[in-house]
Amino acid sequence: MDQVSKAAFFDFDGTLVSSNVVTRYAFFAKNHPNRAKAWWRYGKLLATVPLWIGLDMYSRRLFNVVFYREYRSLSQEWLFELGEELFASDILPKVFPAAGALVEAEREAGYRLVLVSGGLDFAIAPAVRYFGFDHVICNRLEYEGGIATGDVAPPLLAEEEKPRAIERFCREYNVDSVCSKAYSDSLSDLPMLACVGQPAAVNPDRGLRRAAVERGWPILDLQSAPTPRRTDHGNPS
């Protein structure tokens, strides 16, 4: 029988970096090769920010379904090409100071590194290489003739689908979830954190901080510390 391994599952936005799916789409919108369409896409995004904030608060899953329709009619080749520039100009400057140290510490401790993100593959691929993740589980657009339809290839990764994806990964790679870790900043990822034996809240929002305190989970601050700073509340699971 193959040896059982352990993994460290990381959320991306708010956990390792301060960017998010809206700021990344804004980059693509502003850099559309047709300047008129660039202004139209970017102006539309600015005008609908309150809608996106409200929708995200209501349902992260529904937000992803609706928001990713903004990519409709964009070229797959162009999206992947611009993804490199997006990383250099918009994502890399927003990496939290202690994020790299935490990822590297888990690598040295023998954990298989897995990025679990509701972001889109072309937008986070350079970040996967930068951090040196072994695997990535994320959302992918569907295309027809190389043009984005605006639909996400199922299953859409959000909320309850994240733990299901982690469970599938653990079965496929013979990973012991009880010995594995998970990191996220958002209450919407509570199911993801709860499906492993060693969860931790990272730069948590108010809801996740409260849940972490109630469950005795570690709380990490990666935003300003040169190395991860952990605050324990009771004994971690």
Side-chain angles (χ1 to χ4, degrees):
M1 180 178 294
D2 293 337
Q3 183 178 1
V4 176
S5 60
K6 56 186 180 180
F9 300 95
F10 290 83
D11 173 55
F12 189 59
D13 295 326
T15 301
L16 299 177
V17 301
S18 61
S19 69
N20 56 63
V21 299
V22 175
T23 61
R24 291 197 289 275
Y25 172 73
F27 180 87
F28 287 107
K30 288 189 294 184
N31 286 277
H32 193 286
N34 182 304
R35 298 317 300 162
K37 290 183 178 179
W39 282 110
W40 179 81
R41 282 182 176 271
Y42 188 63
K44 178 185 176 185
L45 176 64
L46 293 179
T48 53
V49 165
L51 167 65
W52 302 125
I53 293 175
L55 193 57
D56 187 45
M57 292 177 63
Y58 175 72
S59 168
R60 178 63 57 82
R61 178 180 180 81
L62 182 59
F63 167 84
N64 284 348
V65 170
V66 178
F67 185 76
Y68 286 151
R69 291 173 184 164
E70 297 299 304
Y71 283 93
R72 185 185 294 124
S73 80
L74 294 179
S75 162
Q76 181 180 19
E77 181 179 4
W78 178 78
L79 288 170
F80 276 89
E81 287 178 354
L82 206 63
E84 301 295 331
E85 185 178 336
L86 165 69
F87 175 74
S89 63
D90 185 73
I91 297 178
L92 185 58
K94 298 177 181 178
V95 173
F96 292 132
L102 176 60
V103 175
E104 188 57 32
E106 300 299 23
R107 185 197 318 281
E108 293 178 356
Y111 287 85
R112 190 187 294 259
L113 303 178
V114 187
L115 185 65
V116 184
S117 172
L120 294 169
D121 54 352
F122 55 81
I124 62 175
V128 172
R129 296 194 299 271
Y130 172 81
F131 283 104
F133 281 102
D134 301 306
H135 306 272
V136 59
I137 303 171
C138 65
N139 283 317
R140 292 171 169 79
L141 292 179
E142 293 186 330
Y143 301 89
E144 291 182 359
I147 302 300
T149 65
D151 295 326
V152 177
L156 187 145
L157 196 68
E159 298 173 345
E160 294 291 347
E161 186 54 41
K162 280 192 173 184
R164 285 194 284 267
I166 289 175
E167 290 166 3
R168 289 193 295 270
F169 181 91
C170 289
R171 289 195 300 270
E172 180 177 357
Y173 291 96
N174 201 27
V175 168
D176 184 350
S177 62
V178 175
C179 296
S180 294
K181 299 182 178 182
Y183 297 94
S184 183
D185 70 303
S186 173
L187 182 62
S188 67
D189 279 339
L190 188 61
M192 167 184 165
L193 295 172
C195 78
V196 299
Q198 301 181 63
V202 180
N203 319 318
D205 59 26
R206 183 178 303 178
L208 181 58
R209 179 176 293 275
R210 182 169 57 250
V213 170
E214 291 172 351
R215 292 164 171 77
W217 292 349
I219 296 176
L220 302 181
D221 172 21
L222 304 187
Q223 300 185 71
S224 57
T227 56
R229 185 173 73 248
R230 178 173 126 166
T231 303
D232 289 313
H233 297 275
N235 296 319
S237 300

